[in-house]
């Protein structure tokens, strides 16, 4: 069974997600931005979602975590929760 570890920043608007993505591209710390801006409970852990297997997250989220390149920030990815910036730490 595949497993992955990922972290994310969840915000309400696409504009906010794009603004945060620019800040990340300019070298800002992912964990710090997650703590400050993410509306998910994972914010206090810097956006860390820990390890999970396919099917535990909504489909759009799984598609990024299990199919896109690792250690790159992807998004904004829209789900019913809002807009995510997602970084997969590792996949096995």
């Amino acid at each position: 069974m595949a497993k992955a570890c990922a972290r994310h920043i969840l915000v309400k608007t696409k504009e906010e997600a794009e603004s945060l993505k620019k800040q990340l591209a300019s070298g800002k710390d992912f964990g710090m931005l997650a703590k400050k801006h993410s509306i998910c409970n994972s914010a206090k852990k810097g956006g860390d979602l820990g390890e999970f297997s396919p099917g535990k997250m909504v489909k759009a989220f799984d598609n990024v975590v299990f199919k896109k390149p690792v250690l790159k920030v992807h998004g904004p990815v829209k789900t019913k929760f809002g807009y995510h910036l997602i970084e997969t730490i590792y996949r096995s």
Side-chain angles (χ1 to χ4, degrees):
M1 172 66 79
K3 285 205 178 313
C5 177
R7 58 186 184 167
H8 77 143
I9 299 173
L10 173 62
V11 293
K12 289 222 179 294
T13 68
K14 188 175 184 182
E15 293 71 34
E16 194 179 354
E18 284 169 349
S19 160
L20 289 167
K21 192 169 186 179
K22 284 192 186 98
Q23 292 178 51
L24 289 167
S26 75
K28 285 267 170 55
D29 181 67
F30 193 104
M32 187 195 75
L33 288 177
K35 281 187 170 114
K36 203 165 157 189
H37 300 281
S38 184
I39 55 175
C40 177
N41 289 336
S42 66
K44 51 188 172 289
K45 293 183 292 193
D48 188 354
L49 295 165
E51 193 177 80
F52 53 92
S53 31
K56 290 275 182 250
M57 303 289 175
V58 290
K59 190 157 181 50
F61 203 94
D62 265 6
N63 284 343
V64 170
V65 173
F66 291 98
K67 295 179 180 158
K68 303 259 189 200
V70 175
L71 296 175
K72 274 186 106 94
V73 177
H74 300 282
V77 176
K78 188 180 192 316
T79 70
K80 63 183 179 190
F81 305 106
Y83 291 86
H84 305 260
L85 293 178
I86 306 167
E87 183 183 31
T88 307
I89 311 297
Y90 65 80
R91 244 193 326 254
S92 58

